[in-house]
Amino acid sequence: MKKIALHWKIIIGMVLGIIFGFIMNTVDGGKGFVADWVAPFGTIFINLLKLIAVPLILASLIKGISDLKDISKIKSMGLRTIGIYVATTLVAIVIGLSIVNIVKPGKGMPQDTIEKIKLKYENDAGVTDKLMKASAQKEAGPLQALVDIFPSNIFKSFAEASMLQVIFFAIFVGICLLLIGDKKAKPLIDFFDSLNEVVMKMVDLIMLFAPYAVFALLANVIIAFDDVEILIKLLYYAFCVVGGLILMIGFYLILVSVYTKKSPMWFLQQISPAQLLAFSTSSSAATLPVTMERVEEHLGVDKEVSGFVLPVGATVNMDGTSLYQGIAAVFIMQVIWPEGLTFTNQLVIVLTALLASIGSAAVPSAGMVMLVIVLESIGFPAELLPIGLALIFAVDRPLDMCRTVVNVTGDATVSMIVAKSLGKLHDPKPKEWDDNYEDVK
Ligand code: ASP
């Protein structure tokens, strides 16, 4: 019998999860049942993905850098990656701002809807939590983000999964391995090579569980929706964000086909399991191991490129998030602070949304925390902030799911382009979880 492709299995799991969630919403005690007996399976899956993220980055980057055999290549890879990341993010923000200014989703929103949303969400724990996190983030000095890249205790970085610190350490080790010469470096390189294979195999095995996990994750998302009426009122705004995100995916497909001469459909098909997981988990960080596996084994990007570009991208490249921040900021202004809608303010949004997406953590709803900082940068009145966030809170989760798909797709696209430019893009050799199973069963 023909095997069903993984992405179809995941899609089936997602659809069933959504249906199940809706049914449970209508059944007495259904929500409790999902929270107690279904959701934990989604958590287990995310835990497993997080479990392997640090060893995966470490092994693939150290092995990759030592394979490069040339320190100057590391520099050129780094500069290209950051340059393309910044460029794609700027494109995303411009797309977002153009859409929101043309469509004007916030104009003419009825006062009673605003009052209703205000009443429901202004003092919601979710909104206050975002405001608190944003003010903690703001207190840090201007160079704190740079200081944070350099760890003082690598085990602490491992334990906290501080992505940029782990990347710094791996590059440092990789460069030193090059400097000590082949003979002395070999045992450690072999060790990391083998570790890399093991972790990649772990990804294959964990992914067997993905269709069931997405069922649990989506059922859990659905039971959180309660006020459909407010959701409908915000559909116009939500469509603007989703429309912008679709345009952004189109932009990636053009980049892929122009620079790498690969078929966009093929690209989408290969990367789709990572996109579906990004959608289900709302976290680029949790999706990272799968993105790495797809990009290396299914798109043919060499480890030295994917091991650097993808973890860096998961942390600093969030095109979906920045596009969303541009639209959300202007939408909020259209509704409650129209006098702030000046051209200068929109220019400031371009810059701050770029920095904010770099600074956003790769976890659910981080983009909304950084949105507060974007709004503050244009002098948005502090007393209106809770109302501003309340306005977009009801639809934040579904939009977070969609923007995370774009964040992950953007990272994969850039890794293809960087790999192509360095001659590190090859015909993929996908591995299955059971390649050696017959020998050991
Ligand atoms: N959830 C997003 C991510 O992990 C970040 C955000 O926009 O909230 O990529």
Side-chain angles (χ1 to χ4, degrees):
M1 202 176 80
K2 198 168 171 279
K3 271 209 255 172
I4 307 177
L6 178 63
H7 58 272
W8 284 118
K9 288 190 197 160
I10 300 179
I11 291 174
I12 295 171
M14 289 166 76
V15 173
L16 293 179
I18 292 173
I19 297 173
F20 183 72
F22 277 121
I23 296 175
M24 282 309 175
N25 251 350
T26 60
V27 174
D28 247 3
K31 287 188 181 193
F33 177 80
V34 173
D36 291 344
W37 294 99
V38 180
F41 293 99
T43 312
I44 293 176
F45 179 69
I46 292 185
N47 284 354
L48 288 175
L49 289 173
K50 287 188 180 158
L51 168 76
I52 55 176
V54 168
L56 182 58
I57 297 173
L58 206 60
S60 71
L61 201 49
I62 293 180
K63 164 80 174 92
I65 299 261
S66 55
D67 277 350
L68 271 178
K69 303 240 177 303
D70 181 351
I71 293 180
S72 66
K73 281 205 189 126
I74 302 171
K75 201 171 106 203
S76 89
M77 180 167 78
L79 290 178
R80 264 172 229 208
T81 305
I82 302 297
I84 307 175
Y85 275 156
V86 170
T88 55
T89 305
L90 286 176
V91 171
I93 303 171
V94 171
I95 292 181
L97 287 180
S98 311
I99 293 181
V100 73
N101 279 296
I102 295 169
V103 180
K104 298 196 175 46
K107 228 177 133 212
M109 190 182 240
Q111 198 55 39
D112 62 322
T113 310
I114 303 176
E115 286 307 319
K116 199 170 167 216
I117 295 179
K118 214 168 111 178
L119 210 67
K120 188 161 164 85
Y121 294 111
E122 193 181 3
N123 296 317
D124 187 283
V127 169
T128 1
D129 172 63
K130 309 271 172 328
L131 287 168
M132 262 160 51
K133 284 192 181 140
S135 80
Q137 186 110 12
K138 226 179 41 196
E139 264 151 36
L143 288 186
Q144 193 55 41
L146 181 68
V147 174
D148 286 346
I149 297 176
F150 301 90
S152 60
N153 177 347
I154 196 59
F155 294 101
K156 187 160 170 267
S157 319
F158 291 163
E160 290 170 357
S162 306
M163 230 63 110
L164 292 181
Q165 297 186 351
V166 176
I167 294 168
F168 166 79
F169 179 72
I171 294 177
F172 203 13
V173 173
I175 292 176
C176 292
L177 278 174
L178 287 177
L179 292 174
I180 61 175
D182 284 350
K183 197 161 156 264
K184 293 217 171 97
K186 192 168 180 309
L188 209 51
I189 294 178
D190 287 346
F191 167 79
F192 283 113
D193 192 18
S194 172
L195 180 61
N196 187 56
E197 292 289 325
V198 169
V199 184
M200 281 297 193
K201 194 56 73 190
M202 287 177 165
V203 178
D204 290 339
L205 290 175
I206 294 171
M207 284 305 276
L208 295 177
F209 180 51
Y212 310 99
V214 293
F215 174 90
L217 289 166
L218 286 180
N220 198 36
V221 167
I222 297 295
I223 56 162
F225 287 150
D226 48 359
D227 200 331
V228 180
E229 203 194 319
I230 287 185
L231 285 183
I232 293 172
K233 296 267 178 344
L234 290 171
L235 269 189
Y236 208 19
Y237 153 72
F239 278 141
C240 286
V241 177
V242 174
L245 295 175
I246 292 173
L247 281 182
M248 202 55 206
I249 299 264
F251 175 65
Y252 295 141
L253 297 183
I254 295 174
L255 286 182
V256 167
S257 85
V258 171
Y259 279 98
T260 68
K261 307 276 179 280
K262 301 272 184 191
S263 136
M265 278 304 133
W266 170 83
F267 170 76
L268 275 185
Q269 212 172 18
Q270 303 311 313
I271 196 68
S272 57
Q275 292 175 315
L276 295 170
L277 285 196
F279 184 81
S280 309
T281 61
S282 284
S283 166
S284 331
T287 312
L288 181 64
V290 182
T291 318
M292 288 179 76
E293 193 259 354
R294 297 309 295 185
V295 166
E296 275 175 38
E297 292 186 3
H298 298 258
L299 291 175
V301 172
D302 283 357
K303 275 193 212 41
E304 48 270 42
V305 176
S306 59
F308 173 75
V309 178
L310 295 173
V312 170
T315 331
V316 307
N317 181 51
M318 299 200 179
D319 299 344
T321 302
S322 53
L323 184 147
Y324 149 85
Q325 282 165 342
I327 296 188
V330 174
F331 168 73
I332 292 173
M333 289 202 274
Q334 286 168 347
V335 181
I336 51 172
W337 194 49
E339 56 275 32
L341 276 170
T342 60
F343 184 69
T344 329
N345 274 350
Q346 303 223 20
L347 275 186
V348 177
I349 292 179
V350 174
L351 198 72
T352 45
L354 171 70
L355 296 176
S357 75
I358 294 175
S360 299
V363 297
S365 91
M368 204 170 162
V369 173
M370 297 307 275
L371 175 66
V372 176
I373 294 175
V374 173
L375 286 171
E376 283 175 340
S377 71
I378 48 170
F380 191 85
E383 69 283 5
L384 293 183
L385 270 176
I387 309 173
L389 288 199
L391 271 177
I392 54 166
F393 188 70
V395 281
D396 190 60
R397 180 67 192 208
L399 294 183
D400 192 2
M401 295 158 84
C402 299
R403 63 189 190 243
T404 309
V405 173
V406 171
N407 291 346
V408 166
T409 314
D411 298 342
T413 305
V414 175
S415 72
M416 292 271 286
I417 296 173
V418 173
K420 177 76 182 174
S421 74
L422 295 171
K424 299 275 171 200
L425 187 63
H426 295 112
D427 281 339
K429 289 189 211 74
K431 292 182 188 155
E432 297 294 335
W433 75 269
D434 53 359
D435 287 342
N436 298 314
Y437 186 53
E438 283 308 315
D439 308 339
V440 293
K441 95 175 163 188

